[in-house]
Amino acid sequence: MQQVPESIFSFLKDLKKNNDRDWMSENKTRYKDGETHLKRFYETIKEKLNEKDEIEKVKIFRINRDIRFSKDKTPYNIHRSASFSRAGLQRRGGYYLRIEAGNSRVAGGFFNPNPQDLLRIRKEFALDDSEIREILEQKDFKKAFGGFSTLNQVKTAPKGFSKDHPAIDLIRNKSFVFSHAFTDEEVLAPDFADNIIYHYELLRPFFDYMSDVLTTDLNGEPLI
């Protein structure tokens, strides 16, 4: 069983204190060794996901930061992260993993969906929010994720929707994302891969529901 070695955290903690290109150059071997371990770990996650889902690809995010439009000019991310894309137009949603000392987490959902998908989701919630609320209130799901992240919302109501609509708390969202944090001890534990998969599987009813929404019109007629 692949697991995350403590050396990953050691490297990232040192990088946080020495976030410059000279230090990275001097510690290139440590970085490459860590990436080798993490790639194996990501592959383990992909294999486990494929037992009950279908994953098209794994995207490993670069450690280099895009600093062109940022006031923070430190060149490197102090976390390592990857995403797992579901295969096929009929499978919507994606899984995310971040490993960072003191801030590791899994996440999943729909981050900044395109305008067409966003409007379709909002119209579905406005028409009938009972199914999504049933998913959100499922005991294990609620314990693991709470509710939608509220970091990306409109202030009152989107154009075309009433601020007094009973589902406005859902409709206001511009992204539909859930996350769950892990302690460093949980990340380093031998069962961390299984723990990740447990949380990803809790997202499946939500993904299945949203996939149905985004592949049909408001009358339930298929779009693909």
Side-chain angles (χ1 to χ4, degrees), residues 30-117:
R30 289 177 67 192
Y31 167 66
K32 288 188 172 181
D33 287 347
E35 290 300 286
T36 298
H37 284 291
L38 286 175
K39 286 177 182 177
R40 292 174 185 156
F41 185 74
Y42 299 147
E43 192 60 31
T44 295
I45 300 301
K46 179 184 176 183
E47 291 172 2
K48 286 178 170 290
L49 274 173
N50 270 322
E51 291 176 8
K52 294 186 179 180
D53 202 344
E54 190 168 336
I55 301 303
E56 185 174 49
K57 64 178 180 179
V58 179
K59 177 180 178 180
I60 302 174
F61 292 91
R62 299 177 67 223
I63 198 166
N64 300 74
R65 296 180 63 249
D66 184 353
I67 60 175
R68 291 173 297 172
F69 309 107
S70 175
K71 292 181 180 179
D72 179 1
K73 298 301 182 182
T74 52
Y76 304 109
N77 289 306
I78 57 171
H79 61 82
R80 303 304 299 123
S81 55
S83 64
F84 306 85
S85 300
R86 303 179 77 210
L89 292 176
Q90 76 280 16
R91 294 183 184 87
R92 300 298 182 90
Y95 306 96
Y96 175 79
L97 170 63
R98 171 182 290 226
I99 295 175
E100 178 182 352
N103 191 34
S104 297
R105 63 189 59 249
V106 291
F110 302 79
F111 181 74
N112 284 341
N114 65 56
Q116 181 180 347
D117 283 353

Side-chain angles (χ1 to χ4, degrees), residues 3-217:
Q3 68 184 90
V4 178
E6 197 280 331
S7 57
I8 299 296
F9 279 152
S10 296
F11 172 79
L12 293 174
K13 288 176 182 177
D14 289 345
L15 175 60
K16 186 176 182 179
K17 297 174 185 176
N18 306 275
N19 200 330
D20 61 69
R21 290 182 174 82
D22 288 342
W23 185 89
M24 178 63 89
S25 179
E26 293 169 2
N27 289 270
K28 196 170 184 178
T29 298
R30 289 177 67 192
Y31 167 66
K32 288 188 172 181
D33 287 347
E35 290 300 286
T36 298
H37 284 291
L38 286 175
K39 286 177 182 177
R40 292 174 185 156
F41 185 74
Y42 299 147
E43 192 60 31
T44 295
I45 300 301
K46 179 184 176 183
E47 291 172 2
K48 286 178 170 290
L49 274 173
N50 270 322
E51 291 176 8
K52 294 186 179 180
D53 202 344
E54 190 168 336
I55 301 303
E56 185 174 49
K57 64 178 180 179
V58 179
K59 177 180 178 180
I60 302 174
F61 292 91
R62 299 177 67 223
I63 198 166
N64 300 74
R65 296 180 63 249
D66 184 353
I67 60 175
R68 291 173 297 172
F69 309 107
S70 175
K71 292 181 180 179
D72 179 1
K73 298 301 182 182
T74 52
Y76 304 109
N77 289 306
I78 57 171
H79 61 82
R80 303 304 299 123
S81 55
S83 64
F84 306 85
S85 300
R86 303 179 77 210
L89 292 176
Q90 76 280 16
R91 294 183 184 87
R92 300 298 182 90
Y95 306 96
Y96 175 79
L97 170 63
R98 171 182 290 226
I99 295 175
E100 178 182 352
N103 191 34
S104 297
R105 63 189 59 249
V106 291
F110 302 79
F111 181 74
N112 284 341
N114 65 56
Q116 181 180 347
D117 283 353
L118 178 58
L119 181 60
R120 176 68 183 90
I121 293 167
R122 284 172 166 166
K123 284 185 174 181
E124 184 69 26
F125 291 169
L127 181 68
D128 180 7
D129 63 343
S130 61
E131 191 169 351
I132 183 61
R133 292 200 189 277
E134 184 177 345
I135 292 170
L136 296 177
E137 292 299 319
Q138 197 276 331
K139 182 180 178 182
D140 291 338
F141 184 94
K142 190 172 184 178
K143 180 180 179 182
F145 296 108
F148 284 128
S149 168
T150 58
L151 296 177
N152 194 16
Q153 293 182 322
V154 297
K155 290 183 178 180
T156 54
K159 183 179 179 181
F161 296 87
S162 169
K163 63 182 177 62
D164 298 317
H165 192 286
I168 195 61
D169 59 315
L170 303 175
I171 295 168
R172 286 175 58 206
N173 286 292
K174 293 191 287 184
S175 291
F176 304 91
V177 175
F178 303 95
S179 68
H180 176 87
F182 295 101
T183 66
D184 292 357
E185 290 76 18
E186 287 174 317
V187 173
L188 298 177
D191 66 347
F192 183 48
D194 291 331
N195 204 354
I196 291 171
I197 296 301
Y198 167 76
H199 286 85
Y200 283 164
E201 288 182 352
L202 287 176
L203 291 169
R204 281 296 302 282
F206 170 65
F207 283 170
D208 292 344
Y209 163 75
M210 293 288 265
S211 295
D212 286 343
V213 168
L214 293 172
T215 57
T216 61
D217 63 20

